[in-house]
């Protein structure tokens, strides 16, 4: 695969772009400080904007790397991001990216994450040339699984007690799409 980094992407309702230090307030207010958002995530809700700034400093310093993918999700006509979608792991030996995402509660249930992940699927197969896109979720976090399903990823199985998040050790459901699924060959 040919890594391209966090290239700006558009969908009908959203701009997907790199984050900047100026996003700190929106990131803190819109999702990072909310324990309901981080319920099934691996990082704790931010207690202060200093934590958000540190996170952003770390991310923004990595955009120089072409295998670093961390997008802000920004509805058209607004400035501030409402969430992120990113590559949380990749494996060059099998041309695979593993996707993670989160978004603020006021924007749940509007199809925004399905729209974002669908755009990334197109980007990774058609531009980066991956062979496999995968994602996983705590089986109690059904809406996350619904996003993967709606984007056409296939259920590949659940592994018991194989992951950990803010709720402790959990059963994890894995979804994947490979190049031949995408091109229907
Ligand atoms: C998971 C998350 C990204 C979903 O984003 P979203 O934009 O609300 O997702 P969408 O609107 O595209 O789709 C959500 C789907 O789940 C469904 N859903 C919501 N809650 C559900 C539940 N408890 N059980 C089953 N389905 C549920 C919705 O009805 C919708 O399906 P539909 O379009 O068929 O009605 C968002 O809730 C989030 O950021 N949560 C916090 C962070 C997180 O958990 N990230 C994932 C970690 S693996």
């Amino acid at each position: 695969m040919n890594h391209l980094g966090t290239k700006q992407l558009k969908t009908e309702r959203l701009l997907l772009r790199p984050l900047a230090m100026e996003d700190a307030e929106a990131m803190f207010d819109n999702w990072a400080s909310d324990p309901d958002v981080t319920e099934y995530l691996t990082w704790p809700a931010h207690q202060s904007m200093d934590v958000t700034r540190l996170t952003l400093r770390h991310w923004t310093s990595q955009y120089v790397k072409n295998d670093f993918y961390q997008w802000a999700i920004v509805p058209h006509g607004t400035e501030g991001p409402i969430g992120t979608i990113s590559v949380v792991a990749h494996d060059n030996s099998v041309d695979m990216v593993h996707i993670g995402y989160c978004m603020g509660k006021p924007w749940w249930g509007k199809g925004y994450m399905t729209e974002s992940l669908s755009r990334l699927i197109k980007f990774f197969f058609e531009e980066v040339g991956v062979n496999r896109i995968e994602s996983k979720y705590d089986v109690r976090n059904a809406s996350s699984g619904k996003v993967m399903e709606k984007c056409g990823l296939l259920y590949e199985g659940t592994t018991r007690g194989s992951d950990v998040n803010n709720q402790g050790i959990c059963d994890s459901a894995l979804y994947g799409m490979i190049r031949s699924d995408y091109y229907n060959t």
Side-chain angles (χ1 to χ4, degrees):
M1 57 184 166
N2 173 35
H3 284 298
L4 294 172
T6 310
K7 185 180 158 183
Q8 185 165 299
L9 303 171
K10 276 191 186 144
T11 72
E12 194 185 330
R13 295 181 295 168
L14 305 167
L15 173 67
L16 306 177
R17 62 151 172 82
L19 287 114
M21 287 309 295
E22 295 71 38
D23 293 321
E25 199 170 336
M27 176 170 164
F28 181 82
D29 290 344
N30 290 345
W31 76 92
S33 62
D34 184 350
D36 288 343
V37 171
T38 60
E39 186 174 5
Y40 296 109
L41 301 182
T42 54
W43 46 274
H46 295 183
Q47 298 286 335
S48 81
M49 220 194 290
D50 288 342
V51 183
T52 313
R53 284 196 199 94
L54 268 178
T55 307
L56 280 172
R57 193 155 295 130
H58 176 62
W59 288 348
T60 52
S61 71
Q62 297 201 71
Y63 282 126
V64 288
K65 300 197 301 201
N66 69 357
D67 61 356
F68 180 71
Y69 299 97
Q70 179 74 257
W71 284 272
I73 301 170
V74 187
H76 294 318
T78 66
E79 290 292 315
I82 60 170
T84 59
I85 185 162
S86 58
V87 170
V88 295
H90 66 270
D91 184 344
N92 290 334
S93 66
V94 291
D95 292 343
M96 182 279 290
V97 288
H98 186 114
I99 308 289
Y101 41 70
C102 68
M103 193 171 55
K105 236 181 331 186
W107 298 277
W108 290 2
K110 298 179 190 300
Y112 282 146
M113 202 53 84
T114 300
E115 198 167 315
S116 303
L117 179 57
S118 296
R119 184 67 188 87
L120 256 60
I121 289 170
K122 181 176 166 62
F123 170 69
F124 280 113
F125 280 120
E126 294 185 14
E127 296 193 55
V128 178
V130 299
N131 187 54
R132 173 178 168 81
I133 295 176
E134 65 175 30
S135 195
K136 65 181 176 183
Y137 71 97
D138 180 327
V139 292
R140 293 166 293 188
N141 194 9
S143 58
S144 181
K146 202 76 192 285
V147 169
M148 297 170 200
E149 248 163 42
K150 287 197 291 179
C151 289
L153 274 69
L154 297 180
Y155 174 66
E156 296 182 334
T158 294
T159 44
R160 295 169 301 156
S162 62
D163 210 355
V164 64
N165 59 38
N166 289 330
Q167 303 309 304
I169 293 173
C170 66
D171 296 351
S172 178
L174 180 68
Y175 276 72
M177 184 186 283
I178 58 172
R179 172 166 278 269
S180 56
D181 300 332
Y182 182 74
Y183 288 104
N184 206 10
T185 55

